[in-house]
Amino acid sequence: MISMIAFLSLNFLLGFYLILTLQWHSYKFSRIILHFTKPLWHLYFLIIPYFAFVFSLYSGNFYLYFIVFALSLLYGGYLYKNLDKKLVFTARIKRYFLLLSLFILVFMPFFWMGLEALIVTFLLSFFIEKINQKHFINKANKKIQGNQNLKIILITASFGKTSIKNFLYELLKDEFKCYKTPRSVNTFMGIVRDINENLEDNTQIYIVEAGAREQNDILEITEFLNPQICVIGEIGLAHLEYFKTQDNIRKAKLQALKSKRLEKYFLHSSTLYENEFYDKCLSDVRASLDGLDFKVRLDDKKYIFHANLLGSFNAYNIGVCVLLAYYFGIEIEKIIKSVSNLKAVEHRLQIVSKEPKFIIDDGFNGNFNGMSQSYELCKNYQGRRVLVTPGIVEVNEEENIKLCKIINECFDFVIITSEANSVILQKHITLDFFVLKEKSKLVQTLAKLTKNGDLILFSNDAPSFI
């Protein structure tokens, strides 16, 4: 009887931990094996509990296992309480736990290694999800094919995708029936779900953000949507951990041009694809804490634009949207007015308050170019400048070392919010700094370490499991 209780508890402990980490990493086992930033968690919640169970099973004494189980449960509960990305109980997760419960009961009377229920659950669960995915893909495909007037704009880049998508929507929405993928939805199945649940049949323009962590992710989305218009923004080192080289990232993004219905594309010069690039149409870019001014060349004539946004990189995000709106036939006067009314995309150089503390939320800006430009923006602030950041994730050490040099020039105090880059940042930041070990205590830390009149920049935001 005691061995059965141990079997049940082991499978639920390992099962909960595995499905949680898989949900974080888009249900890819390769990512939690090769790219998990807290490998010691695998030791605490998988390896040690399992081998304690095996030892107890063959020794006949389960005291060791239940001690290990209790410690894992206590430590896991403490960590889970402070996570900012807890398990979301989707229909898939509910099916998973139903199957797990069923197979625990099936294998409980006879087991020899303890993982039978878990292995069968994952095999059957992934098989069921493949069938479901095929059904949803076919349904979404019929919906797209049924709207003969639908223009699809695919946007991909190393960074800036969401900003371009949101700015473009604002420039087009008054002239066309537009819809854009919500939030940062940019995976193949995320797009499929969005089409099925949200895309209306009379939509004229569907603006789609496409992301990638593997070589053919963009190709899969492109072959499914076959967009008429593609925007490939700046190619940098985001997700270098997965692609290994910048050239691999570039090749992955350029797969967007393989659409069978491609009519027009807009490319950033970093794509190295040909000689005409949208960023070369911009000039006289000036950015300050008061806003953004720049010029865009249209038909050999330059037009002046102003936006109440921060960061010179936003000029290029807006610039390609201006070119697109002009391509769709919108009058230049209307485009200029729309640009002047643009609001900051949430968590992207968004001014939260100016008094009593000047707070800027740039939590969704996670690349070197964007982060360094936002730091330069803060450099001339007349007051104490405080940076809250985890550094840059999923890149090589050199990127964070370069970032530290700019941090040292632009700020007075730094709060480091992630273990992933903590060692590198502490080594290369010459300013006073504070290492925050628990993100749940950020508010109390800021109250204690900052004062009225400070500028506080939240730069990038790595989830607590990173």
Side-chain angles (χ1 to χ4, degrees), residues 304-322:
I304 299 172
F305 291 84
H306 172 80
N308 294 311
L309 300 171
L310 303 181
S312 57
F313 58 87
N314 266 326
Y316 298 95
N317 293 335
I318 299 169
V320 69
C321 298
V322 169

Side-chain angles (χ1 to χ4, degrees), residues 55 96 164 176 188 238 243 272 284 360 367 370 375-376 384 405 429 446:
F55 175 81
Y96 163 81
I164 294 172
F176 302 94
F188 176 62
F243 288 100
L272 306 178
D284 299 322
I360 302 174
N367 64 86
Y375 298 171
E376 293 289 347
R384 185 169 175 256
K405 293 178 181 178
I429 289 176
L446 287 169

